[in-house]
Amino acid sequence: MNKILLVIQREYLTRIQKKSFWIASLLGPILITAIYAVPIWLATQDKEVKRIEILDESGLFQTTDLMDKEVEFKLVNKPVSDLKGSFSKEGYTAFVHLPKDLLTHSKDIKIYSEKNLSLPLKSSIERVIEKKVRAILMKDAGIASEVYEKTQIEVSSETITVSEKGDETSSSSGGAMILAGVMGMLLYITLLLYGSQVMNGVIEEKSSRIIEVIISSIKPYQLMLGKILGVGMVGLTQFLLWIVLTIGLSQVASTFYAASPVKQKVEQIKKVDPEVAKKMDDASPMAEVTKVIESTNIPLVVGGFLFYFLFGYLLYSSLFAAIGSAVESTAEAQQFTFIVMLPIILAFIMAQFTMQDPDSTMAFWASMIPFTSPINMMVRLPYGVPMWELATSMTLLVVGFLGCSWVSARIYRVGILMYGKKITVKEMAKWLFYKG
């Protein structure tokens, strides 16, 4: 046991002292934050509040009728010819000419701009005008605006989970799908990343002949297990760094968004109209996150993630270690790594269907088979999984790991000292039954 601990210590300290470890640990959160923060930041910079002048010859509009979260309107009273030459010089994006007979000729509205208007801005202008014109026409027809508002039904549903005891909790289908997708993607990347690191480490030691010295004082199985656990601890350390740094960078990025003109305009509209404010709050990402946290068994999901990460990593890393022991170079290992990567890729593809229907027959079996269960069970967990299915899946994964580690150890003990011979799958199959 002490020898295994020494190998774990050596693998862990050697890897975290490398510059590449710290570069990857620091660049990872920066890239993750940049992937979503930069597009949002650029969008908010581009989506500065647009200023529009309105020449209202119909006399129907008041300043209070012209409210929009992304557009600032100003009523003016100048000749059309003067406005055509002055609006852009005064910093306005466009000016709108409303004719005298707007109620009967609503299609005669003209919008003048220096260059082509974007479709969202054109729609925002038309929506504001349309709302006022409709209200006036209904009033003229003797229909109260309250009656019209009551007919504008907006169908939306709230999803609620009910426990066996009858407790009800608001849930979010979209949020659960996002959470499932993120965890499935994380496991997919880590299984490939750290499994490959184990294989490359074995190849490096074998090609430099250091392995011959090490193997004289420790059993091959102990060496393989120590190497796998050591790299696994490096992976957990890097995970923790990524989580802490990503949360910190996300907080910094959110302060830039809070200071954007669009955000300030939204806050102004919320103060004016409490009903709109409630709708915006209900539709905000934070509201969805709150629903997911309230409706999801977070301790179970976190515990499940750690379990499936650990045993999924152990299962695949033992296979990668066996491949690394059988070859003498990374190029030679490529023909075998595809065999191990195939079930990981298959599991990721199956996870796309599992997200859409987590209770289907395919999702059930994908979360039971040890080679696909680490990714697919984590995709199912946010939706809720019966405990007997979770226990069965975990048991099968542990059994699968023990079986794969036995096979890998048999290959490892022979392959680690095998040089100068072209290795085939058939040759490795023979090593399983070598005695001694």
Side-chain angles (χ1 to χ4, degrees):
M1 189 65 186
N2 288 335
K3 292 180 179 178
I4 295 177
L5 291 175
L6 285 173
V7 176
I8 293 172
Q9 183 183 23
R10 175 182 172 276
E11 288 294 327
Y12 183 78
L13 293 178
T14 302
R15 290 176 186 277
I16 65 167
Q17 289 173 357
K18 288 182 177 177
K19 286 183 181 178
S20 57
F21 171 82
W22 290 105
I23 291 172
S25 299
L26 295 174
L27 279 182
I30 293 173
L31 291 174
I32 292 170
T33 307
I35 284 173
Y36 73 85
V38 170
I40 293 175
W41 181 77
L42 289 174
T44 55
Q45 295 304 305
D46 288 342
K47 279 191 174 181
E48 59 183 9
V49 176
K50 305 295 183 185
R51 301 175 68 209
I52 304 293
E53 285 185 317
I54 290 191
L55 173 60
D56 179 23
E57 293 183 347
S58 67
L60 300 174
F61 284 82
Q62 303 294 324
T63 305
T64 52
D65 299 323
L66 303 168
M67 296 291 291
D68 189 89
K69 66 179 181 180
E70 293 179 3
V71 185
E72 182 181 313
F73 293 99
K74 182 184 179 184
L75 285 171
V76 292
N77 187 17
K78 296 179 184 178
V80 174
S81 57
D82 291 351
L83 284 172
K84 285 181 181 176
S86 65
F87 78 93
S88 62
K89 295 176 183 174
E90 294 175 2
Y92 290 93
T93 306
F95 89 87
V96 184
H97 179 207
L98 303 180
K100 291 180 181 178
D101 52 354
L102 176 62
L103 296 179
T104 54
H105 293 83
S106 58
K107 293 187 177 179
D108 289 346
I109 298 170
K110 289 185 171 53
I111 303 176
Y112 297 90
S113 62
E114 196 174 29
K115 54 187 179 181
N116 284 336
L117 285 185
S118 67
L119 192 58
L121 178 57
K122 182 172 179 285
S123 299
S124 296
I125 295 170
E126 291 174 346
R127 187 172 59 247
V128 170
I129 298 170
E130 189 178 81
K131 182 180 178 182
K132 178 65 177 177
V133 171
R134 182 185 293 117
I136 294 172
L137 290 174
M138 291 182 61
K139 185 178 179 182
D140 292 345
I143 303 173
S145 59
E146 291 79 7
V147 175
Y148 171 75
E149 292 298 334
K150 287 181 180 177
T151 61
Q152 302 305 300
I153 299 174
E154 207 172 282
V155 177
S156 64
S157 60
E158 180 184 3
T159 54
I160 301 169
T161 56
V162 184
S163 68
E164 293 181 354
K165 297 178 180 177
D167 298 331
E168 297 183 2
T169 310
S170 293
S171 62
S172 170
S173 302
M177 179 175 280
I178 292 171
L179 181 61
V182 168
M183 288 192 297
M185 177 64 80
L186 275 175
L187 279 174
Y188 172 74
I189 293 172
T190 52
L191 290 179
L192 287 176
L193 180 65
Y194 297 114
S196 300
Q197 282 192 20
V198 171
M199 183 185 71
N200 290 331
V202 174
I203 293 173
E204 186 180 337
E205 288 180 348
K206 182 178 178 180
S207 58
S208 62
R209 302 268 178 165
I210 294 175
I211 200 76
E212 295 176 14
V213 179
I214 300 174
I215 212 74
S216 62
S217 57
I218 188 172
K219 292 181 179 177
Y221 179 75
Q222 291 175 320
L223 177 60
M224 186 186 79
L225 190 60
K227 186 176 287 293
I228 290 172
L229 291 175
V231 176
M233 288 179 64
V234 173
L236 284 174
T237 305
Q238 201 162 48
F239 251 134
L240 291 174
L241 285 171
W242 282 349
I243 290 170
V244 172
L245 291 173
T246 302
I247 291 173
L249 289 172
S250 299
Q251 293 295 323
V252 173
S254 63
T255 58
F256 287 98
Y257 174 67
S260 69
V262 174
K263 179 70 176 175
Q264 292 173 0
K265 185 74 176 177
V266 169
E267 292 301 324
Q268 290 176 4
I269 291 176
K270 282 183 175 180
K271 291 177 182 176
V272 173
D273 193 336
E275 190 175 341
V276 173
K278 185 176 183 306
K279 289 181 179 178
M280 287 182 173
D281 289 339
D282 290 343
S284 70
M286 283 310 298
E288 292 297 312
V289 171
T290 304
K291 287 181 181 177
V292 172
I293 292 173
E294 289 178 349
S295 61
T296 305
N297 189 339
I298 297 297
L300 178 66
V301 171
V302 173
F305 182 84
L306 293 175
F307 178 87
Y308 282 101
F309 167 75
L310 178 63
F311 282 93
Y313 161 77
L314 290 174
L315 186 149
Y316 279 105
S317 292
S318 63
L319 296 175
F320 275 114
I323 292 173
S325 69
V327 299
E328 296 179 39
S329 66
T330 307
E332 193 181 347
Q334 288 179 353
Q335 58 179 317
F336 299 108
T337 53
F338 182 71
I339 299 172
V340 180
M341 289 172 61
L342 197 60
I344 303 178
I345 295 170
L346 178 64
F348 184 71
I349 294 172
M350 294 172 81
Q352 314 308 312
F353 298 99
T354 302
M355 270 196 295
Q356 296 174 22
D357 189 0
D359 296 322
S360 66
T361 304
M362 188 218 70
F364 172 80
W365 287 110
S367 59
M368 291 294 147
I369 298 170
F371 290 103
T372 56
S373 64
I375 293 176
N376 283 273
M377 182 53 86
M378 283 316 303
V379 170
R380 290 184 66 197
L381 265 186
Y383 295 97
V385 177
M387 289 309 295
W388 73 268
E389 289 188 18
L390 185 60
T392 305
S393 172
M394 288 180 165
T395 304
L396 289 174
L397 181 58
V398 173
V399 172
F401 157 65
L402 293 175
C404 286
S405 63
W406 180 84
V407 171
S408 299
R410 303 286 292 184
I411 295 173
Y412 190 89
R413 62 173 186 152
V414 179
I416 203 71
L417 297 174
M418 188 72 70
Y419 292 94
K421 186 175 182 180
K422 186 173 176 59
I423 305 301
T424 63
V425 175
K426 186 178 178 182
E427 182 70 22
M428 284 196 284
K430 290 180 180 176
W431 294 352
L432 294 177
F433 305 101
Y434 279 4
K435 294 182 179 179

